[in-house]
Amino acid sequence: MTSDATLTPRTPSPAAVGATEILGRYRAVRAATERIAAPLAPEDCVVQTMADVSPTKWHLAHVSWFFETFVLEPHLAAYRPLDSRYAYLFNSYYVQAGERHCRDRRGYISRPTLEEIYAYRAHVDEGISELLEGASEGPLTVCAPLIEIGLHHEQQHQELMLTDIKHVFSVNPLRPAYRDGPVDPSPPARTVAWVPFEGGLYEIGHQGDGFAYDNETPRHRHYLEPFLLADRLVTNGEYLAFMEDGGYERAELWLSEGFATAQERSWSEPFYWEERDGRWWLFSLGGMRELEEHEPLCHVSYFEADAFARWAGARLPTEEEWEVAARDLPVSGNTFETGRLHPMGAAGAGPAGGQGDDQGPRQLYGDVWEWTRSQYSPYPGYSPLPGALGEYNGKFMCNQFVLRGGSCVTSASHIRPTYRNFFVPDATWQFMGFRLARDGG
Amino acid sequence: MTSDATLTPRTPSPAAVGATEILGRYRAVRAATERIAAPLAPEDCVVQTMADVSPTKWHLAHVSWFFETFVLEPHLAAYRPLDSRYAYLFNSYYVQAGERHCRDRRGYISRPTLEEIYAYRAHVDEGISELLEGASEGPLTVCAPLIEIGLHHEQQHQELMLTDIKHVFSVNPLRPAYRDGPVDPSPPARTVAWVPFEGGLYEIGHQGDGFAYDNETPRHRHYLEPFLLADRLVTNGEYLAFMEDGGYERAELWLSEGFATAQERSWSEPFYWEERDGRWWLFSLGGMRELEEHEPLCHVSYFEADAFARWAGARLPTEEEWEVAARDLPVSGNTFETGRLHPMGAAGAGPAGGQGDDQGPRQLYGDVWEWTRSQYSPYPGYSPLPGALGEYNGKFMCNQFVLRGGSCVTSASHIRPTYRNFFVPDATWQFMGFRLARDGG
Amino acid sequence: MTSDATLTPRTPSPAAVGATEILGRYRAVRAATERIAAPLAPEDCVVQTMADVSPTKWHLAHVSWFFETFVLEPHLAAYRPLDSRYAYLFNSYYVQAGERHCRDRRGYISRPTLEEIYAYRAHVDEGISELLEGASEGPLTVCAPLIEIGLHHEQQHQELMLTDIKHVFSVNPLRPAYRDGPVDPSPPARTVAWVPFEGGLYEIGHQGDGFAYDNETPRHRHYLEPFLLADRLVTNGEYLAFMEDGGYERAELWLSEGFATAQERSWSEPFYWEERDGRWWLFSLGGMRELEEHEPLCHVSYFEADAFARWAGARLPTEEEWEVAARDLPVSGNTFETGRLHPMGAAGAGPAGGQGDDQGPRQLYGDVWEWTRSQYSPYPGYSPLPGALGEYNGKFMCNQFVLRGGSCVTSASHIRPTYRNFFVPDATWQFMGFRLARDGG
Amino acid sequence: MTSDATLTPRTPSPAAVGATEILGRYRAVRAATERIAAPLAPEDCVVQTMADVSPTKWHLAHVSWFFETFVLEPHLAAYRPLDSRYAYLFNSYYVQAGERHCRDRRGYISRPTLEEIYAYRAHVDEGISELLEGASEGPLTVCAPLIEIGLHHEQQHQELMLTDIKHVFSVNPLRPAYRDGPVDPSPPARTVAWVPFEGGLYEIGHQGDGFAYDNETPRHRHYLEPFLLADRLVTNGEYLAFMEDGGYERAELWLSEGFATAQERSWSEPFYWEERDGRWWLFSLGGMRELEEHEPLCHVSYFEADAFARWAGARLPTEEEWEVAARDLPVSGNTFETGRLHPMGAAGAGPAGGQGDDQGPRQLYGDVWEWTRSQYSPYPGYSPLPGALGEYNGKFMCNQFVLRGGSCVTSASHIRPTYRNFFVPDATWQFMGFRLARDGG
């Protein structure tokens, strides 16, 4: 399975597409963002329930600030910002783009109102239209990649809007639901099958065509020992068995920092789980929902995933192992497009049909971001983008673990085999789960 | 000036007034509350910028919960709460009234929306109407004092709504204004005159007619040495002189805890003051405003007031001294009713006219709550109201200092000579200032 | 019982005593300090277990620094400090005496060693001898009061050395004892008798002969309503009844800040109490000791005292009430001199003998410092000493409560009726207890 | 440079050596520990200045507890602990070995005294003598590896004793020195030469003969791209240039968490550096010492090393790169044995002599632990030792970076090419520095 192909340089530039096509995609992504915000009341859009969570209002503005700052200001001479103070309010962490409002105080900002923020979005949209409609080929070559990265950036925030509003609603004793109606139960989970992969020298990282972030490059060689990968995600039912076996109290199963964290925060079940009268419930975007044992486990930290794996006599896969397993599979699954917005159990498998019969790994894309045991590090030869956009990824390469594969709130058009998401190991509010791996073949 | 009058027992019950009169007052107070909220956007009403600040939305609901809990539930058999979960969300600190939502998380609660809270208010209003319209004399005797206390409670929250929205707007880099238009400048401040009071045995505390909180009773004897009281409040200009004389760096001027607090929080000027290009500005309900030296100083902590007094070779008055000076003066001044919502300098004094010519103390009511050197303690013989209402005042008698006289955001009908407000000594977000006193006569 | 006597001015100066007499007292106090430290290993003298606790080594040095700074440096021309850096290390909180080492880091300082600190003490002692032996009358008049205050200061630290080493040993799982041997059990506690006191105008504060701190002055008039005072301290057994009645869980019994403190720190019994196999033990200077129900309760906070009083249908006395009850009694009881170093129950009372038969209040001096309900405030007309010594008391007049009467680790020669000790309301590591009071006569 | 050798299994067992030889080594290591403690006063041995620092007294006891717990208790039937409570006091973090005293409270424990701890050491030494002298071959085979790991453990703590006492003395304003006398200045540092290494598949990890910790195994293949390694460590002078170029203020040079840490802690120079009157000094085990520009930089965090590397247009090496460079070099350099206890500049290089002339990397062993860019992770196929000893390394594989090569306070007999030390990225109190690397060949 190793490849002789020459290592290709990182080229995040999009294919040469026309302005019309770009504008079409721009409008589609922007409209999708607003559809996600549509069910919310103005009051919902203000709240920040912890530093990691941003108000919906802020997301709506920040993604517009991104286009304003990196596309319109430098490349549309006629552009005038709607309000020059927004640059301060809506910069997230780009130090080189200027001073910014303190992250953990975003929930203190009632103005601009939601309506004013929609006006800001419209103002930026007009600027982009003007830029693209009037662009000759030269400028377009410069701007198109910037718009492309802006759209991927906005798709990330679409996911975060859903993640964050889930948190906001969860801390409200009234437990409001983001959307109405139940979702279908998951089919029964089959016994895990272990899919073998050969050892050898593999190429890892982005190939060079299509969009990728700088942290997915350069493509490089990596030696893997033979390994086995579980063909499906760990389920709620399996995790319940770990809990019932004293998983949260047995220090020997945990990383030292993990056990300390669990004790300090009194963790005794996954985030969003609640026990009521002896039965387990979990909070979902559709409100409270009784726990289904066949559903993929979601909202666990790296620490919990790692402890579970040790308990199960297995381990988490490395990010390279995951990528090797995923790279030849189509990017499809229970992503944002299904509208479920909640993990779903792997399709039941009969003698034939779908992924079920070939014993390959399932659920690699969608459902939940999968924790890997890889700490987030630069690939050999990595260099970040120049300027403020270089802050997008590189400066976070410390005390974060890599997650792969996207979740039920990730757009399918946003994900790919080489995509590296990353979070600190105690994070739980994202749609995070995992699958197991083992040494050997 | 001492009195021979017999000490009267604490009787917080209102005079026997008719149901119609009560309902009229009820409706007036409730309408005033909603007028205060009227200029705000729904987004403004959600935000909590620190634990001491509550969202407007919460104030609007909590004062209604008070009537629901202490009047309707026990006394209107037909009453059904609009939503039984509101009791948990909108109880503030009445332990005996049941579990309650955590105070410092009020800003996380986007639902019920503002509109839903107005529906809750209407529901409670209907209950009160029903109760009062159908009440025979017996029940009315029971309910009237409870409604009376509920209305005073709501007036307190009217003041807090203004105090809190000022804080919310102040932390927004856009510095929004609560209301439009400038306010008149203050007239020049005259040199302080020291008004002498004789020593002797005085009666302190509420007399017994009209409403009072339990902490104003019982009326009791208190011996005072002769003292002098400044005839006006300390001004911004005087405080600037203290600052320019190194006031914030000179530990010998401060209480030990005060200096530690000032250092830890990097205090170097009063709250809401900002220096821009060598000029001082302060944030007001009308937005940023250049500092006027003749205006009464506002938004200082007890610690700052105490340090200033020591610097000035004076001291703060005790609450008994203040009460003796104020008790024969009419309750009038720059209160909420003037619509200024900002302190104003003492009226200039000529040979005749108003308070100016008689050399008595001015500005005792309105403008700013006046810090006294009295730590908040029970009066001799004090006993709190029975039941949950006994938690209103008594349980805070520790590490708080008494303030007297009301401020520019206090309703005149809410204040009286014996009224004891109290805050921790590092509080600054209320409309707090002070006047000086001295020993001797 | 009110007095016609003219209010006397504050005069903390000692009577005109000769140099020999002063030196004798100096040497006696200094020797007593060293006897207290004698049973300790050098390792014991280094440790600081919380910010309030100072290492023995530090106490030994600080009291010497006090003499060096306030007596020798200004008044003995030939004096040369042993090490000029000690001024920085051993100043406690006298800002006007220069920069000082951070209080909560005293336990980080292994050097100077204990031996070096004894050399420092000897050096200062030589200075004082030289000063006193060579002093003519003029300088003596100046220095004698300073030495007097230094000796009272050292006596305070003698008490703190015992208080602090108790804490140090208590956190050691080995539970070492400061001294060997058991102490006698307490006699059975009689039912509380309530001693009545008339209302009226009393004089409070130091009279003017003998030593007093500035905070005990000036003597002034204070009006008291009639009151009743318990004739003995609250006992362990009585407090157990409070605990068994759910005292720590019933918010309605507590000050708001008290209940929050108790919850936050998981208080469910007095400090130094431990339950082992269903029996209560407490840590004493003689090591672990099974709880005796007749012994005075010790090591409770103001919050606990206040909650107990409310539960018992009583209240704590004010400091003025305490002083009125104590001022005519001899300063004797279970003080440091008895060598018990632990509270002892009130002497059993028969028809005759001692304090027992006259139904007057007992145990006012010694055993435990008694919490009063009085927040620590300046007396009317109070002014602190000039210079750095003015920081001794005055700057702490905020968020502290007054305690009266000394404890079993206070020297009898250090205490008097007007003595005002003060601590924050959550303090428990001092020998603190209380007695009850009631309104009426 | 790649190897064809078969991957060898992890075998941490020592060669079959006789009991006499083991006992000789045991006594040598134990005596070395006590020699390190010899210059200290009992007071010095008590202090804990931060959670990471342990008192000397604790180190002396803990290493004895290790032998008691893992060797004597299970393998010497006649063994009786000196004090059964020591197991609680002197366990560090081995959860499976029972409850333990809280790490950050080690400085609160004055007893057992230093003398008592030496008695404990002697008691354990007697046990080991008895065990080894009477051991037949079977038990020896079991115990010898345990004693071996205990001795390596004790050597680690020898290093920590020096590291920790340096911290203890540094926070004392008197700045005591651990040892007398100056150390020689460093020779001038040559311009860095970049040593090229070929890319390819390398074997990494412990080979199998001699002692190694579990985390150095198993030996496995790892693919490296070509790289360049600096031939010497970064110096104080080079780091000063970074500081003068605004290094601490330029966010773009730092990891996000690194910059936040530096800001929060007000870092503006390396730990132990102090500016006095425009000149730089640093604290050493010989006391304050003026900074030498040619000396290797020491006591910097990973964050600072990483920022410096970015500023210098380079990067830190990976741990595998370091190991490839070091594995064929002899383990010698400025280690503990030189007695310098302070880093020393690389030997000047002429046309011949020492390491200097062959342009190979110098200073790989000794001087300072070298930060690598590798986050501490399990090697492929890693499994920890069984039982409590498995907690030695494995449970820390999160948010730590690997350091290689030992320092000037590491024994030469304790270090080897595959040794993986690890610390959190904000640690600075160890003897930590770094060298640079670059991509390419």
Side-chain angles (χ1 to χ4, degrees), chain C residues 23-36 67 121 150-155 158 413:
Chain C
L23 191 56
R25 175 151 154 74
Y26 176 85
R27 286 179 177 152
V29 170
R30 298 283 285 176
T33 304
E34 298 181 9
R35 276 198 305 278
I36 291 172
F67 287 110
R121 289 181 65 86
L151 292 174
H152 280 276
H153 174 256
E154 184 143 348
Q155 285 186 308
Q158 288 171 2
S413 66

Side-chain angles (χ1 to χ4, degrees), chain C residues 39-44 46-49 57 85-86 88-89 101 107-115 168-169 171-174 176, chain D residues 39-44 46-49 57 85-86 88-89 101 107-115 168-169 171-174 176:
Chain C
L40 301 173
E43 289 90 335
D44 299 328
V46 180
V47 172
Q48 177 177 42
T49 42
K57 215 156 63 76
R85 299 167 303 174
Y86 288 3
Y88 178 83
L89 276 178
H101 189 244
Y108 295 171
I109 304 302
S110 60
R111 310 284 179 91
T113 62
L114 186 59
E115 195 180 325
V168 168
F169 283 161
V171 305
N172 189 325
L174 306 184
Chain D
L40 301 174
E43 290 90 334
D44 299 328
V46 181
V47 173
Q48 177 176 41
T49 42
K57 216 156 63 75
R85 299 167 305 175
Y86 287 4
Y88 178 83
L89 275 179
H101 189 244
Y108 295 172
I109 303 303
S110 60
R111 310 284 180 92
T113 62
L114 186 59
E115 193 180 326
V168 168
F169 283 162
V171 305
N172 189 324
L174 306 184

Side-chain angles (χ1 to χ4, degrees), chain A residues 99-387:
Chain A
E99 294 289 311
R100 71 224 76 86
H101 190 244
C102 188
R103 181 184 184 180
D104 57 7
R105 302 180 168 214
R106 290 175 186 161
Y108 295 172
I109 304 303
S110 61
R111 310 283 178 94
T113 61
L114 186 59
E115 194 179 327
E116 288 166 334
I117 281 174
Y118 276 113
Y120 177 45
R121 290 181 64 88
H123 182 79
V124 168
D125 290 349
E126 280 164 36
I128 294 288
S129 292
E130 189 180 331
L131 177 78
L132 286 173
E133 282 160 4
S136 56
E137 198 173 334
L140 193 59
T141 309
V142 175
C143 291
L146 296 171
I147 294 175
E148 181 75 15
I149 202 171
L151 293 174
H152 281 275
H153 173 256
E154 184 144 348
Q155 285 186 308
Q156 281 187 299
H157 281 275
Q158 288 170 2
E159 175 167 348
L160 291 172
M161 285 166 68
L162 289 161
T163 306
D164 290 356
I165 201 68
K166 182 171 181 178
H167 194 267
V168 167
F169 282 161
S170 78
V171 305
N172 189 326
L174 307 183
R175 297 280 190 280
Y178 167 77
R179 71 95 181 278
D180 299 330
V183 295
D184 295 338
S186 290
R190 298 191 318 175
T191 304
V192 163
W194 295 93
V195 185
F197 290 85
E198 287 175 32
L201 202 54
Y202 288 89
E203 290 196 1
I204 297 295
H206 189 64
Q207 186 76 43
D209 52 316
F211 176 82
Y213 289 119
D214 57 12
N215 64 1
E216 302 169 46
T217 66
R219 193 164 171 90
H220 62 282
R221 293 186 186 88
H222 183 89
Y223 189 84
L224 287 178
E225 304 287 341
F227 67 97
L228 300 163
L229 196 68
D231 72 336
R232 64 161 170 79
L233 296 166
V234 167
T235 64
N236 289 335
E238 287 164 338
Y239 198 80
L240 264 178
F242 164 75
M243 286 164 58
E244 285 160 6
D245 196 32
Y248 279 95
E249 289 80 46
R250 293 167 56 186
E252 75 273 16
L253 298 173
W254 294 70
L255 286 169
S256 179
E257 188 176 328
F259 195 68
T261 300
Q263 294 279 302
E264 198 178 297
R265 306 190 191 170
S266 303
W267 284 355
S268 55
E269 68 279 320
F271 194 52
Y272 290 139
W273 286 32
E274 287 181 39
E275 199 172 13
R276 298 181 177 175
D277 304 323
R279 303 183 75 84
W280 285 102
W281 293 72
L282 47 76
F283 185 70
S284 75
L285 283 168
M288 292 305 296
R289 168 183 170 84
E290 192 163 1
L291 183 144
E292 288 183 18
E293 63 174 300
H294 298 300
E295 213 170 75
L297 175 66
C298 192
H299 296 297
V300 287
S301 65
Y302 178 81
F303 295 133
E304 289 161 300
D306 170 80
F308 176 92
R310 199 166 289 114
W311 172 80
R315 61 171 174 83
L316 299 179
T318 65
E319 64 169 322
E320 292 87 1
E321 290 170 343
W322 191 96
E323 185 170 323
V324 162
R327 62 184 175 180
D328 296 327
L329 299 179
V331 178
S332 71
N334 177 23
T335 56
F336 175 73
E337 287 75 10
T338 68
R340 183 177 169 91
L341 308 185
H342 195 74
M344 180 165 53
Q355 292 181 314
D357 57 347
D358 62 1
Q359 299 297 327
R362 267 160 294 228
Q363 300 177 299
L364 285 160
Y365 298 108
D367 288 310
V368 296
W369 285 101
E370 300 184 29
W371 284 111
T372 74
R373 83 183 311 172
S374 299
Q375 300 191 55
Y376 179 47
S377 298
Y379 283 164
Y382 167 70
S383 67
L385 290 179

Side-chain angles (χ1 to χ4, degrees), chain C residues 54-84:
Chain C
S54 294
T56 309
K57 215 156 63 76
W58 186 90
H59 284 298
L60 289 168
H62 165 69
V63 291
S64 305
W65 166 87
F66 193 98
F67 287 110
E68 182 175 72
T69 303
F70 296 116
V71 182
L72 296 176
E73 294 271 17
H75 300 294
L76 180 61
Y79 184 75
R80 294 291 168 272
L82 188 63
D83 188 321
S84 60

Side-chain angles (χ1 to χ4, degrees), chain B residues 69-80:
Chain B
T69 303
F70 296 115
V71 182
L72 296 175
E73 294 271 18
H75 301 294
L76 180 61
Y79 184 75
R80 295 290 168 273

Side-chain angles (χ1 to χ4, degrees), chain C residues 136-326:
Chain C
S136 57
E137 198 173 333
L140 194 58
T141 311
V142 176
C143 292
L146 296 171
I147 293 175
E148 181 75 14
I149 202 171
L151 292 174
H152 280 276
H153 174 256
E154 184 143 348
Q155 285 186 308
Q156 281 188 298
H157 280 276
Q158 288 171 2
E159 175 166 347
L160 291 172
M161 284 165 69
L162 289 161
T163 306
D164 289 357
I165 201 69
K166 182 171 181 177
H167 194 267
V168 168
F169 283 161
S170 78
V171 305
N172 189 325
L174 306 184
R175 296 282 190 278
Y178 167 76
R179 71 97 180 275
D180 299 330
V183 295
D184 294 337
S186 290
R190 299 190 317 174
T191 304
V192 164
W194 295 93
V195 185
F197 291 84
E198 288 175 32
L201 202 55
Y202 287 90
E203 290 197 359
I204 297 294
H206 189 64
Q207 185 77 42
D209 51 314
F211 176 82
Y213 289 118
D214 58 10
N215 65 359
E216 303 169 46
T217 66
R219 194 163 169 92
H220 61 282
R221 294 189 186 87
H222 183 88
Y223 189 85
L224 287 178
E225 304 288 341
F227 67 98
L228 301 163
L229 196 68
D231 71 336
R232 63 159 171 81
L233 297 166
V234 168
T235 64
N236 289 335
E238 288 164 337
Y239 198 80
L240 265 177
F242 164 75
M243 286 164 58
E244 285 160 5
D245 196 32
Y248 279 96
E249 290 80 46
R250 292 167 55 187
E252 74 275 16
L253 298 173
W254 295 69
L255 286 170
S256 180
E257 189 176 327
F259 195 69
T261 300
Q263 294 279 302
E264 199 179 296
R265 305 189 191 171
S266 303
W267 284 353
S268 55
E269 69 278 320
F271 195 52
Y272 290 140
W273 286 30
E274 288 181 37
E275 198 171 15
R276 296 181 177 174
D277 304 324
R279 304 182 74 83
W280 284 103
W281 293 72
L282 47 75
F283 185 70
S284 76
L285 283 169
M288 292 306 296
R289 169 184 170 83
E290 192 162 0
L291 183 143
E292 288 183 17
E293 62 174 301
H294 298 299
E295 212 170 73
L297 174 66
C298 193
H299 297 297
V300 286
S301 65
Y302 178 82
F303 294 133
E304 288 160 301
D306 169 79
F308 176 91
R310 200 166 288 114
W311 172 79
R315 61 169 173 84
L316 298 179
T318 66
E319 64 169 320
E320 292 87 2
E321 290 169 343
W322 190 97
E323 186 171 322
V324 163

Side-chain angles (χ1 to χ4, degrees), chain C residues 174, chain D residues 65 82-91 112 116 120:
Chain C
L174 306 184
Chain D
W65 167 87
L82 187 63
D83 188 321
S84 61
R85 299 167 305 175
Y86 287 4
Y88 178 83
L89 275 179
F90 300 124
N91 180 359
E116 289 166 333
Y120 177 44

